[in-house]
C-alpha cells in the first residue's frame, strides 16, 4: 500500500522535473547562480555551491532531529517528559563543530577574495561612470568614449508593443572588451551611488561620486553578457542595464580603431556644421526626437516635469529666458541636481535642435532658433 | 505604589540618558573618527589634504611604480580639465612633478575644487603630495587658463604588492559656496 | 502569590478611578493598557505596510509598467520598509514587553508609567507625518529605507525634512521605551528574582533595550546629518565639500546591524518561552541561551560593513567583516540546537503558539543559512542587492520576527482576555500564512540567484513566471492576515471559553500565577520567588 503511494509520488516528481527541463530549453529562468565565463566567477560559483551544500547538510541534521522529536516525543504517543536541561559536553560539541566548519569555509573564501582584489598590471583599462540612468565608458588607452543607454522602446515598457527577447537588458552601445586579457574597470559616478554588476564576470562594484573603485576581469569566452545597475539610484534604477561584448583580441583591436576613426570623423563633421544654419522645421523635428529619448524621462513628454522632483520646462524661466543661459544649463548641467551635462552626451546638432525644441514646444513660443555654432560658442566660451 | 524606589529609578534613568546622549554624540564623532581611521588604513583612498614636507629619503631604484592620472569634471562644471601626463613611472622616494591644465570657457568666473581619490585605497597612505592644486579652491576668471602643478613622492615603505595605482581628480564647481566646506 | 485574592480586591478599588472611553486610553499609565495600544498600533501598521507590499507585488505581477510609476514604486518600497521596521515589528515587541515584562518579574507596573504613556502616544504622530508626506507634491521618501546619501540628500525632494522629523520621533519613542524596560528590570524585580532566574523573554528584552539605547541615537545622528546636508549646506556626505558618501553607509549600518538584532532577539525570547511550555520540559541550556544572546548583541557592533562589501573596501576590512559575520552564526546556532534539545524527549503537543514557534525555528534557520551564505564576501558580490537578499531578510523578519510575534499573541492572548480564542480560525491563519509565506519568499532565492536586482519596478522576461507566483503568494499572505484580524476582533469582544490561570498545561512562570484575564493591577504586593 505504502509502496504504491511512494511510486506514484516518484512518478509525479519525475514528471515535474521533466517538464521543468523541457521548459529550460525555452526562455525559462536559470535557477542557480551563474558559473560565469571567468576563472573568478567559476571559483565564486564553487564557493557558493560548497556553502550551500554545507547548509543543506546542517539543515537535514537539525530539522531531522526536530522532526524525529516531533514524531517520537508526542504526548499523544504517550511520551513522558524527561527532565534534563543542560549538558556541558553537548553544548561544547555544538559550539566547536560550527567553528571548525566556519574555518573550513573561510580559507577558500579568503583565497578567492585575494585573487579578486588584485587589479594590477591590466592590459586594458576602462573608466566606467554611472549617472542617472546611463553608463559612460571611456577607454583610457585610446580616444574612445561613449554613453551606453537602455535601448528598449518605451512602448514595450508601457505594454503598447510586445516585449522582445532582451527586454530591459539591451543598450544602444555595449561595452566591448577583449577576451583573454586583463581588463580593469575604474568605476565612479557623476551623481548618486550606482553599482556596476556583471554576473557572468562575478564583478559588482559601487560607483561612488567623487571616488574611484577598481575591479577587473579576464573573460575566457567571446560572447554577449548582460547585467544591471545594482544600487538604488532613483526613479529609473531598473532601466540602466549593462551589456558587454567580449571579442577575440584581434577583433577587439579592429573595433577600437574603427571607433577612434568614427569619433574623429564625427568631430570633423561638427566643425563643418558650424558654418551651416538649420531651418526651424528641421530643428524642431530632430529636437523632438532627441527630447523624447534624452529629456522626457525626467521633464516628461509634455514638458510639465514631475512636480516637486523634476522641474517643468513649459513656461519655465530657463526655457523662455536668456538663450545663453539655457544653452549653458543643457551643456554643463546644474551642480547638485539631477540635471546632467549633456554637452558630453549629445552632438552639437542634437543640442541645438533640442534647445530649439524646448524653446518652442508646449506653448513656449520664443520663436528663436538655436544653431550648432551658438552651442559651440557657449562650450568654447566665446 | 513604587514611590519608595523612585530615587533609584532616577539614578538608573540618569545613567541611561547619559548613554543616549553619549551615543548621539558618538554618531557625530564617527565623522572625524572615520577620517582618522581612513588616514590610518587608507580605506577610502583619500589623499592628504595639506602639503607634506619632502623628507630626504633613500630613493629605492630597485622598484618602479606606475602612477596613472585620471581627471573628471562633475556635472555643472564647464571647465576643461586634463592631466598633461597620463602615466608616470617613479622610484619610491623620488620627487616628481606633473602638470594639470584647466581652462574656464564659461562667460563667468568659477571657483573649482578638485577632489582626489586613489585606488587601491591603501596606496594613498604612501602617496605624499608636497604641492597640489587640490589643497585649496581654484578660482578661474571667465576664459582664463591655468597650469596647475602637483608635486609628490612615494614613501619607500610602500608594500611590495603595490606597483600600480591610480590617482583621480574630480573637479567640482564650488562657486559662491554652492557647496560649503565642512 | 498568596495575594491573588487581595489583588482582585485592589483592582476593583482602582478601577473606580479609571476614566472611561477615549480618555482612558489617552491618559492611561497602566502597562497593560499601553501594551494593548502598542500591539494594536503595530497591527494596524502591519496592515498598512502590507498594503504597500501588495502594491509592489501587483506592479511586479508581470513585466512592464502597469499600475504605478517608478517614482511611486520607490516610495512604496521605502515606506513599506520604514513602516514594517519602525511601525510594526518594533512597537509589537515593545507592546509585548509592556504587557509581559512586569508580570514575568513580579512588578506592579513599568517603572516610569507616565513616560510610558508618552513614548506610545508620540508614535502615531510620527507615522502620520511619514504617511502624509506621500501626498505632498513630489511624493514622500523614495530613496529606500536605508536612505543612502547622496540620493537622500542632494537628489531627494523636500519631503525629506518630514522623513527626518518622523524618524526622530520614532527614535525618541524607542529610546524611551527601552529606558523604561531597563529601569523596570533593574529595579523592580520581585524578591528572589535574580538575574539568572529571569525568564528568557525578559533577558532578551533587557539586551535588546541596551542595543536600542546604544544605536537609536546614532540613527538620529545620521538623519540629522542628512537634514543638514540637504538643507543647511554641510558636506558630511558630499565629496565636493570634503565629505564621503560611503561614510553615510558606515554610520547607517553601525545603527542598522544592531537594529537587525533588535528585531530578532525578543523573538528568540518568545520562542524560548513557548517551546518548553509545549514540550513540558525545562528549557535546555538556559545559561548558554543568555550568553549566546549577549554575545550576538556584542558581535552585532563589529559586523556592520558586511552590508557594504561592494563599496570598495580594502582586502583586510573585507576579511575582518566576513569572519566576524560568520562568527555570529555560532551563538545563533547554539540557540537553535537548544530549542531542538528542549523538544527532545519532551512530551510534545502542538497548540497554535507551538505551531508558529516550530515554523519559526525551521524558517528562521533557513534565513540564517542564507545569511551565512551572504557573509562570504566573494559570493556576496553576486548576491548583494538582488532578490536573494530580499528573500534572506524576509525569512528572518517575516517568518522570524513576525511569526514569533504571532506565536506570542496566541500564547498570551488567553491570559489577556481570559477567554480562549477561536482555535479553528487560528489554525486556518497558521496554515494559510505558512503556505503562502513560503510561496511568497522561497522563489525569491532563485530569482535572486538568477540575477534579478532588488528595488526595480520592472524586470526582464526570464523572471516573469517566478514573479507571478511570488505575487500570488504575496496576495495570499496578505489575505491570510485578515483571518488574524477577525480572530482578534472576536477575542476583544471576549467571546470564547473561559480559561484557567495557567491556560497551558506546561506553562511555568509568574504570569501564569495571576488569574485570567490578568487583573488591571497585578503584583501590587510583590510575590516571593524561590
Amino acid at each position: 500500500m505504502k509502496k504504491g503511494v511512494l511510486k506514484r509520488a516518484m512518478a509525479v516528481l519525475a514528471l515535474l522535473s521533466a517538464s521543468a527541463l523541457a521548459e529550460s530549453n525555452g526562455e525559462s529562468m536559470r535557477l542557480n547562480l551563474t558559473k560565469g565565463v571567468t576563472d573568478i566567477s567559476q571559483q565564486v560559483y564553487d564557493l557558493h555551491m560548497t556553502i550551500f551544500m554545507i547548509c543543506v547538510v546542517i539543515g537535514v541534521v537539525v530539522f531531522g532531529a526536530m522532526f524525529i522529536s516531533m514524531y517520537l516525543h508526542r504526548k499523544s504517543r504517550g511520551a513522558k517528559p524527561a527532565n534534563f536541561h543542560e549538558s556541558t559536553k553537548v553544548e561544547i560539541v555544538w559550539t566547536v563543530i560550527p567553528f571548525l566548519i566556519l574555518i573550513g569555509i573561510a580559507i577558500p573564501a579568503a583565497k578567492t577574495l585575494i585573487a579578486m582584489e588584485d587589479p594590477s598590471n591590466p592590459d586594458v583599462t576602462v573608466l566606467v561612470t554611472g549617472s542617472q540612468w546611463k553608463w559612460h565608458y571611456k577607454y583610457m588607452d585610446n580616444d574612445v568614449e561613449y554613453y551606453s543607454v537602455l535601448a528598449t522602446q518605451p512602448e514595450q515598457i508601457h505594454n503598447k508593443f510586445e516585449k522582445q527577447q532582451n527586454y530591459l537588458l539591451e543598450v544602444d552601445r555595449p561595452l566591448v572588451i577583449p577576451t583573454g586579457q586583463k581588463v580593469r574597470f575604474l568605476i565612479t559616478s557623476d551623481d548618486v551611488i550606482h553599482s556596476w554588476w556583471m554576473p557572468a564576470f562575478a564583478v559588482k562594484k559601487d560607483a561612488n561620486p567623487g571616488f574611484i573603485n577598481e575591479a577587473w576581469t579576464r573573460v575566457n569566452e567571446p560572447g554577449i553578457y548582460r547585467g544591471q545597475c545594482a544600487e538604488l539610484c532613483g526613479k529609473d534604477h531598473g532601466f540602466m542595464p549593462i551589456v558587454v561584448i567580449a571579442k577575440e583580441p584581434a577583433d577587439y583591436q579592429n573595433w577600437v580603431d574603427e571607433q577612434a576613426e568614427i569619433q574623429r570623423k564625427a568631430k570633423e563633421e561638427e566643425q563643418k556644421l558650424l558654418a551651416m544654419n538649420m531651418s526651424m522645421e528641421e530643428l524642431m523635428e530632430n529636437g523632438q526626437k532627441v527630447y523624447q529619448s534624452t529629456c522626457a524621462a525626467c521633464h516628461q513628454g509634455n514638458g510639465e516635469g514631475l512636480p516637486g522632483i523634476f522641474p517643468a520646462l513649459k513656461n519655465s524661466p530657463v526655457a523662455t529666458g536668456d538663450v545663453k543661459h539655457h544653452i549653458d544649463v543643457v551643456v554643463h548641467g546644474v551642480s547638485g541636481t539631477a540635471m546632467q551635462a549633456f554637452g558630453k552626451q549629445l552632438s552639437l546638432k542634437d543640442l541645438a535642435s533640442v534647445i530649439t525644441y524646448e524653446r518652442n514646444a508646449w506653448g513656449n513660443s520664443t520663436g528663436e532658433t538655436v544653431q550648432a555654432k551658438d552651442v559651440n560658442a557657449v562650450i568654447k566660451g566665446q | 505604589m513604587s514611590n519608595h524606589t523612585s530615587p533609584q529609578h532616577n539614578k538608573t534613568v540618569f545613567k541611561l540618558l547619559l548613554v543616549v546622549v553619549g551615543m548621539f554624540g558618538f554618531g557625530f564623532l564617527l565623522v572625524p573618527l572615520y577620517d582618522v581611521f581612513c588616514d590610518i588604513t587608507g580605506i577610502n583612498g583619500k589623499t592628504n589634504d595639506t602639503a607634506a614636507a619632502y623628507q630626504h629619503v633613500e630613493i629605492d631604484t630597485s622598484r618602479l611604480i606606475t602612477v596613472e592620472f585620471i581627471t573628471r569634471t562633475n556635472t555643472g562644471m564647464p571647465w576643461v580639465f586634463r592631466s598633461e601626463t597620463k602615466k608616470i613611472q617613479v622610484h619610491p622616494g623620488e620627487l616628481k612633478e606633473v602638470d594639470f591644465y584647466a581652462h574656464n570657457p564659461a562667460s563667468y568666473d568659477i571657483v573649482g575644487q578638485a577632489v582626489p581619490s586613489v585606488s587601491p585605497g591603501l596606496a594613498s597612505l604612501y602617496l605624499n603630495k608636497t604641492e597640489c592644486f587640490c589643497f585649496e579652491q581654484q578660482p578661474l576668471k571667465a576664459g582664463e587658463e591655468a597650469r596647475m602643478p602637483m608635486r609628490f613622492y612615494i614613501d619607500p615603505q610602500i608594500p611590495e604588492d603595490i606597483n600600480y595605482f591610480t590617482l583621480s581628480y574630480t573637479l567640482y564647481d564650488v562657486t559662491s559656496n554652492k557647496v560649503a566646506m565642512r | 502569590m498568596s495575594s491573588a485574592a487581595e489583588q482582585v480586591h485592589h483592582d476593583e478599588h482602582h478601577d473606580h478611578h479609571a476614566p472611561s472611553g477615549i480618555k482612558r486610553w489617552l491618559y492611561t499609565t497602566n502597562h497593560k493598557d499601553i501594551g494593548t495600544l502598542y500591539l494594536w498600533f503595530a497591527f494596524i501598521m502591519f496592515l498598512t505596510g502590507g498594503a504597500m507590499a501588495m502594491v509592489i507585488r501587483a506592479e511586479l505581477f508581470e513585466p512592464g509598467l502597469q499600475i504605478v510609476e517608478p517614482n511611486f514604486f520607490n516610495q512604496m518600497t521605502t515606506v513599506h520598509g520604514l513602516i514594517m521596521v519602525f511601525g510594526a515589528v518594533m512597537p509589537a515587541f515593545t507592546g509585548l514587553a509592556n504587557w509581559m515584562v512586569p508580570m514575568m518579574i513580579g512588578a506592579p507596573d513599568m517603572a516610569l508609567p507616565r513616560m510610558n504613556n508618552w513614548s506610545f502616544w508620540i508614535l502615531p504622530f510620527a507615522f502620520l507625518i511619514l504617511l502624509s508626506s506621500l501626498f505632498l507634491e513630489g511624493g514622500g521618501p523614495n530613496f529606500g529605507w536605508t536612505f543612502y546619501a547622496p540620493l537622500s540628500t542632494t537628489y531627494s525632494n523636500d519631503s525629506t525634512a518630514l522623513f527626518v522629523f518622523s524618524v526622530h520621533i520614532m527614535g525618541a519613542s524607542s529610546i524611551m521605551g527601552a529606558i523604561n524596560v531597563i529601569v523596570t528590570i533593574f529595579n523592580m524585580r520581585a524578591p528572589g528574582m535574580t538575574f539568572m532566574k529571569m525568564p528568557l523573554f525578559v533577558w532578551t528584552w533587557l539586551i535588546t533595550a541596551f542595543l536600542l539605547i546604544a544605536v537609536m541615537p546614532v540613527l538620529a545622528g545620521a538623519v540629522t546629518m542628512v537634514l543638514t546636508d540637504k538643507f543647511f549646506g554641510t558636506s558630511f556626505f558630499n565629496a565636493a565639500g570634503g565629505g564621503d558618501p560611503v561614510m553615510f553607509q558606515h554610520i547607517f549600518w553601525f545603527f542598522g546591524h544592531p537594529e537587525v538584532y533588535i528585531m530578532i532577539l525578543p523573538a528568540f525570547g518568545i520562542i524560548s518561552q513557548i517551546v518548553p511550555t509545549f514540550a513540558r520540559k525545562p528549557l535546555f541550556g538556559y545559561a548558554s541561551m543568555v550568553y549566546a544572546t549577549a554575545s550576538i548583541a556584542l558581535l552585532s557592533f563589529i559586523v556592520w560593513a558586511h552590508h557594504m562589501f561592494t563599496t570598495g573596501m580594502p582586502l583586510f576590512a573585507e576579511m575582518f567583516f566576513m569572519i566576524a559575520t560568520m562568527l555570529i552564526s555560532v551563538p545563533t546556532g547554539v540557540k537553535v540546537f537548544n530549542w531542538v534539545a528542549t523538544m527532545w524527549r519532551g512530551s510534545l503537543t502542538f497548540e497554535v503558539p507551538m505551531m508558529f514557534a516550530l515554523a519559526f525555528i525551521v524558517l528562521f534557520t533557513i534565513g540564517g543559512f542564507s545569511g551565512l551564505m551572504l557573509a562570504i564576501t566573494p559570493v556576496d558580490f553576486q548576491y548583494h542587492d538582488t532578490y536573494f537578499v530580499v528573500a534572506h531578510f524576509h525569512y528572518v523578519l517575516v517568518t522570524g520576527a513576525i511569526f514569533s510575534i504571532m506565536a506570542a499573541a496566541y500564547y498570551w492572548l488567553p491570559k489577556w482576555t481570559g477567554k480562549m480564542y477561536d482555535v479553528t480560525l487560528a489554525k486556518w491563519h497558521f496554515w494559510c500564512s505558512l503556505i503562502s509565506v513560503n510561496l511568497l519568499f522561497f522563489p525569491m532565492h532563485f530569482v535572486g540567484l538568477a540575477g534579478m536586482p532588488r528595488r526595480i519596478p520592472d524586470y526582464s522576461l526570464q523572471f516573469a513566471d517566478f514573479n507571478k507566483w511570488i505575487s500570488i503568494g504575496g496576495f495570499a499572505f496578505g489575505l491570510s492576515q485578515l483571518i488574524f484580524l477577525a480572530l482578534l476582533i472576536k477575542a476583544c469582544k471576549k467571546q470564547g471559553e473561559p480559561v484557567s490561570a495557567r491556560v497551558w498545561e506546561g506553562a511555568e512562570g509568574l504570569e501564569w500565577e495571576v488569574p485570567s484575564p490578568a487583573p488591571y493591577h497585578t503584583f501590587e504586593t510583590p510575590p516571593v520567588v524561590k
Side-chain angles (χ1 to χ4, degrees):
Chain A
M1 203 43 221
K2 247 189 177 170
K3 254 189 181 167
V5 174
L6 210 74
K7 250 187 189 167
R8 233 177 298 159
M10 294 287 273
V12 169
L13 262 176
L15 236 148
L16 274 175
S17 53
S19 66
L21 275 177
E23 228 182 316
S24 68
N25 294 334
E27 271 233 11
S28 121
M29 183 183 85
R30 185 182 73 227
L31 289 180
N32 201 353
L33 199 63
T34 174
K35 284 183 186 158
V37 288
T38 67
D39 296 347
I40 291 283
S41 69
Q42 178 68 46
Q43 283 181 39
V44 165
Y45 173 81
D46 292 341
L47 261 179
H48 158 74
M49 285 316 284
T50 313
I51 174 90
F52 172 69
M53 291 322 277
I54 290 172
C55 287
V56 168
V57 170
I58 298 174
V60 166
V61 172
V62 175
F63 300 149
M66 187 175 139
F67 285 120
I68 288 170
S69 171
M70 280 165 70
Y71 178 73
L72 288 180
H73 309 138
R74 270 177 305 160
K75 197 187 176 201
S76 55
R77 274 180 110 245
K80 291 273 171 297
N83 202 27
F84 66 88
H85 56 85
E86 55 191 350
S87 158
T88 318
K89 224 185 280 170
V90 174
E91 287 174 62
I92 289 176
V93 167
W94 69 37
T95 313
V96 171
I97 290 179
F99 253 117
L100 297 179
I101 296 176
L102 290 185
I103 294 170
I105 304 170
I107 292 169
K111 275 189 192 150
T112 308
L113 195 55
I114 291 169
M116 283 176 132
E117 297 288 328
D118 175 26
S120 56
N121 305 321
D123 299 310
V124 175
T125 298
V126 184
L127 177 66
V128 178
T129 310
S131 63
Q132 284 180 328
W133 296 285
K134 48 181 88 85
W135 294 99
H136 178 259
Y137 301 115
K138 182 176 183 187
Y139 291 78
M140 297 309 292
D141 314 303
N142 310 80
D143 273 336
V144 175
E145 60 176 303
Y146 52 87
Y147 280 86
S148 176
V149 189
L150 176 75
T152 303
Q153 303 146 294
E155 287 85 355
Q156 285 185 41
I157 296 171
H158 290 284
N159 309 308
K160 292 191 186 100
F161 294 172
E162 203 185 327
K163 296 179 175 51
Q164 301 299 314
Q165 197 193 353
N166 290 314
Y167 177 68
L168 294 188
L169 294 178
E170 49 197 347
V171 296
D172 57 349
R173 306 191 61 188
L175 175 68
V176 178
I177 57 169
T179 54
Q181 295 187 6
K182 188 165 188 171
V183 180
R184 184 175 63 136
F185 304 107
L186 292 169
I187 301 169
T188 185
S189 165
D190 252 346
D191 37 45
V192 301
I193 298 174
H194 304 266
S195 191
W196 198 83
W197 179 30
M198 184 45 68
F201 308 163
V203 169
K204 185 186 282 151
K205 254 303 159 357
D206 287 1
N208 299 320
F211 293 82
I212 50 166
N213 261 331
E214 276 181 292
W216 67 273
T217 192
R218 191 192 298 271
V219 180
N220 297 329
E221 293 160 41
I224 302 175
Y225 306 107
R226 295 169 201 277
Q228 277 174 278
C229 174
E231 180 62 62
L232 178 64
C233 54
K235 184 169 84 68
D236 285 350
H237 161 55
F239 304 94
M240 51 183 292
I242 297 154
V243 180
V244 178
I245 299 179
K247 292 185 178 198
E248 300 284 357
D251 295 344
Y252 165 76
Q253 201 50 52
N254 286 341
W255 178 86
V256 170
D257 295 343
E258 204 181 313
Q259 292 305 310
E261 183 60 23
I262 291 173
Q263 299 210 342
R264 197 181 54 76
K265 272 200 180 140
K267 272 182 198 153
E268 275 174 19
E269 286 291 311
E270 292 220 314
Q271 293 309 309
K272 280 185 208 154
L273 249 175
L274 293 179
M276 294 197 300
N277 270 335
M278 287 168 75
S279 73
M280 181 63 129
E281 286 70 41
E282 264 180 296
L283 285 166
M284 285 299 279
E285 192 186 331
N286 187 44
Q288 183 172 20
K289 247 192 295 172
V290 177
Y291 181 85
Q292 292 302 339
S293 64
T294 316
C295 317
C298 297
H299 295 294
Q300 305 300 305
N302 57 12
E304 284 169 10
L306 285 178
I309 311 171
F310 303 118
L313 298 181
K314 189 175 170 177
N315 299 325
S316 84
V318 172
T320 55
D322 179 32
V323 182
K324 271 203 166 166
H325 180 60
H326 189 177
I327 298 173
D328 185 50
V329 165
V330 175
V331 167
H332 297 130
V334 181
S335 65
T337 71
M339 182 64 197
Q340 299 172 356
F342 288 97
K344 299 180 232 166
Q345 305 183 29
L346 300 172
S347 66
L348 288 178
K349 179 183 157 198
D350 286 350
L351 284 166
S353 29
V354 82
I355 295 168
T356 308
Y357 178 73
E358 286 173 0
R359 298 182 75 76
N360 295 288
W362 329 291
N364 288 359
S365 45
T366 57
E368 295 163 315
T369 58
V370 176
Q371 299 295 344
K373 62 173 181 291
D374 303 327
V375 179
N376 192 52
V378 171
I379 292 175
K380 293 274 153 34
Q382 287 151 3
Chain B
M1 55 193 101
S2 52
N3 279 344
H4 62 286
T5 54
S6 245
Q8 204 184 346
H9 288 350
N10 291 344
K11 235 167 89 185
T12 321
V13 171
F14 181 71
K15 281 186 204 155
L16 293 174
L17 280 177
L18 276 186
V19 176
V20 170
V21 173
M23 286 309 290
F24 186 70
F26 180 73
F28 284 89
L29 196 65
L30 280 174
V31 177
L33 270 180
Y34 178 74
D35 283 345
V36 171
F37 193 67
C38 291
D39 282 349
I40 299 169
T41 63
I43 61 170
N44 68 348
K46 267 192 204 171
T47 58
N48 53 315
D49 52 8
T50 47
Y54 180 59
Q55 282 143 356
H56 249 289
V57 281
E58 193 102 350
I59 294 175
D60 183 356
T61 48
S62 65
R63 293 182 65 192
L64 260 183
I65 292 174
T66 310
V67 185
E68 186 176 4
F69 299 99
I70 289 183
T71 52
R72 299 178 55 246
T73 52
N74 211 64
T75 300
M77 182 52 152
W79 288 12
V80 177
F81 175 48
R82 64 170 180 263
S83 164
E84 303 289 14
T85 319
K86 273 189 172 178
K87 268 182 203 172
I88 192 170
Q89 291 200 312
V90 290
H91 296 298
E94 182 183 9
L95 194 64
K96 282 271 179 185
E97 185 175 308
V98 282
D99 275 341
F100 288 76
Y101 166 84
H103 166 53
N104 177 9
S107 51
Y108 43 88
D109 304 352
I110 290 175
V111 184
Q113 169 73 52
V115 175
S117 170
V118 171
S119 184
L122 212 53
S124 67
L125 296 181
Y126 305 94
L127 173 70
N128 295 309
K129 294 189 276 190
T130 57
E131 189 187 337
C132 180
F133 53 93
C134 61
F135 293 153
E136 53 226 29
Q137 303 188 340
Q138 301 290 324
L140 282 188
K141 295 216 161 53
E144 197 182 351
E145 292 180 329
R147 267 184 65 253
M148 308 189 293
M150 196 275 277
R151 215 174 293 144
F152 71 99
Y153 71 98
I154 294 168
D155 190 331
Q157 302 290 316
I158 190 162
E160 286 294 320
D161 56 327
I162 302 179
N163 49 34
Y164 192 113
F165 67 85
T166 311
L167 171 57
S168 99
Y169 284 104
T170 306
L171 198 63
Y172 287 88
D173 175 0
V174 292
T175 314
S176 68
N177 286 331
K178 268 185 209 162
V179 185
M181 291 295 288
R182 186 166 90 217
Chain C
M1 294 166 218
S2 56
S3 57
E6 232 173 286
Q7 276 163 14
V8 175
H9 174 75
H10 267 283
D11 297 332
E12 284 162 1
H13 178 69
H14 276 270
D15 276 343
H16 289 304
H17 299 292
S20 55
I22 185 83
K23 276 190 178 168
R24 166 185 166 183
W25 298 105
L26 270 177
Y27 297 157
T28 187
T29 56
N30 178 286
H31 73 103
K32 299 187 181 77
D33 281 353
I34 294 173
T36 307
L37 285 172
Y38 263 115
L39 287 168
W40 270 110
F41 177 76
F43 191 61
I44 292 166
M45 282 297 121
F46 176 60
L47 295 180
T48 314
M52 292 172 184
M54 297 300 106
V55 174
I56 295 169
R57 282 322 318 174
E59 178 54 54
L60 292 173
F61 188 73
E62 49 186 23
L65 294 176
Q66 292 88 18
I67 298 166
V68 295
E69 283 303 306
N71 188 46
F72 189 71
F73 182 90
N74 287 346
Q75 292 172 45
M76 285 292 103
T77 53
T78 305
V79 182
H80 164 75
L82 288 167
I83 284 192
M84 288 307 198
V85 169
F86 295 105
V89 174
M90 288 169 67
F93 281 136
T94 314
L96 290 170
N98 260 294
W99 250 105
M100 301 319 298
V101 166
M103 280 165 71
M104 290 173 118
I105 60 171
D109 201 317
M110 295 295 275
L112 311 156
R114 274 184 291 265
M115 189 168 89
N116 207 8
N117 172 292
W118 202 37
S119 67
F120 171 75
W121 276 111
I122 59 176
L123 259 192
F125 295 97
F127 284 91
L128 221 57
I129 292 170
L130 181 65
L131 288 171
S132 66
S133 74
L134 287 175
F135 300 99
L136 291 183
E137 197 179 67
N142 57 4
F143 28 68
W145 84 277
T146 51
F147 59 104
Y148 279 9
L151 189 58
S152 62
T153 56
T154 318
Y155 296 87
S156 68
N157 63 42
D158 287 347
S159 73
T160 307
L162 292 183
F163 157 80
V164 170
F165 190 42
S166 78
V167 170
H168 269 306
I169 302 176
M170 294 169 203
S173 163
S174 306
I175 290 169
M176 287 193 286
I179 288 178
N180 219 337
V181 168
I182 296 174
V183 178
T184 307
I185 296 174
F186 271 17
N187 297 346
M188 295 182 69
R189 277 166 291 129
M193 175 65 80
T194 59
F195 274 106
M196 287 315 267
K197 273 188 189 161
M198 290 193 317
L200 259 170
F201 179 67
V202 179
W203 252 119
T204 51
W205 238 110
L206 179 63
I207 293 167
T208 303
F210 273 108
L211 284 181
L212 274 168
I213 62 166
V215 301
M216 290 310 282
V218 177
L219 174 69
V223 289
T224 308
M225 288 182 227
V226 164
L227 186 79
T228 58
D229 260 20
K230 175 151 182 63
F231 295 104
F232 303 110
T234 57
S235 295
F236 289 108
F237 311 127
N238 186 348
D244 182 349
V246 175
M247 183 178 72
F248 171 84
Q249 297 177 36
H250 282 286
I251 297 174
F252 178 83
W253 287 113
F254 186 83
F255 145 80
H257 202 77
E259 167 69 19
V260 171
Y261 291 95
I262 286 167
M263 292 190 283
I264 203 65
L265 292 186
F268 291 163
I270 291 165
I271 303 305
S272 304
Q273 300 299 132
I274 292 176
V275 170
T277 299
F278 298 99
R280 291 169 182 73
K281 195 164 148 279
L283 182 70
F284 186 88
Y286 172 88
S288 68
M289 282 296 220
V290 173
Y291 300 140
T293 312
S295 46
I296 291 174
L298 287 176
L299 283 173
S300 76
F301 283 102
I302 55 160
V303 298
W304 77 89
H306 68 211
H307 297 268
M308 315 166 41
F309 283 142
T310 62
T311 54
M313 282 188 284
L315 188 60
F316 75 89
E318 288 175 333
M319 295 268 199
F320 172 81
F321 286 110
M322 171 171 85
I323 287 162
T325 306
M326 287 162 79
L327 275 183
I328 285 199
S329 65
V330 175
T332 314
V334 165
K335 289 191 156 284
V336 176
F337 301 147
N338 281 351
W339 290 323
V340 174
T342 306
M343 289 164 62
W344 193 257
R345 289 181 51 211
S347 173
L348 295 167
T349 51
F350 303 99
E351 284 87 345
V352 180
M354 184 63 163
M355 293 161 87
F356 271 100
L358 292 174
F360 170 95
I361 296 175
V362 174
L363 299 177
F364 170 77
T365 306
I366 291 177
F369 287 149
S370 53
L372 183 59
M373 295 169 80
L374 282 160
I376 315 294
T377 315
V379 203
D380 178 74
F381 290 146
Q382 291 284 46
Y383 303 145
H384 178 77
D385 263 336
T386 68
Y387 263 79
F388 191 79
V389 177
V390 178
H392 160 71
F393 68 72
H394 281 97
Y395 261 88
V396 290
L397 283 178
V398 178
T399 59
I402 290 185
F403 267 34
S404 83
I405 291 164
M406 286 168 178
Y410 285 122
Y411 185 52
W412 284 312
L413 196 56
K415 171 57 66 187
W416 300 337
T417 63
K419 303 280 166 61
M420 184 50 82
Y421 44 80
D422 188 333
V423 175
T424 318
L425 270 189
K427 284 188 174 160
W428 270 101
H429 176 220
F430 172 75
W431 287 110
C432 289
S433 297
L434 181 73
I435 294 166
S436 58
V437 87
N438 282 295
L439 180 60
L440 166 57
F441 295 124
F442 204 75
M444 285 187 184
H445 289 114
F446 301 114
V447 178
L449 290 177
M452 178 164 162
R454 62 191 279 212
R455 292 166 164 170
I456 56 173
D458 193 6
Y459 46 83
S460 55
L461 299 178
Q462 49 171 332
F463 306 123
D465 293 348
F466 270 65
N467 270 289
K468 192 166 277 176
W469 285 109
I470 291 169
S471 286
I472 291 170
F475 301 141
F477 185 69
L479 288 176
S480 307
Q481 304 323 307
L482 299 180
I483 306 177
F484 192 36
L485 177 65
L487 180 142
L488 289 176
I489 290 171
K490 273 180 89 175
C492 285
K493 285 185 185 158
K494 308 260 166 140
Q495 295 170 354
E497 289 291 307
V499 290
S500 66
R502 191 157 296 274
V503 184
W504 314 105
E505 190 189 24
E508 299 281 348
L510 286 178
E511 78 264 37
W512 308 108
E513 310 283 344
V514 300
S516 303
Y520 200 57
H521 296 283
T522 36
F523 296 129
E524 298 213 279
T525 324
V528 177
V529 180
K530 273 165 234 136

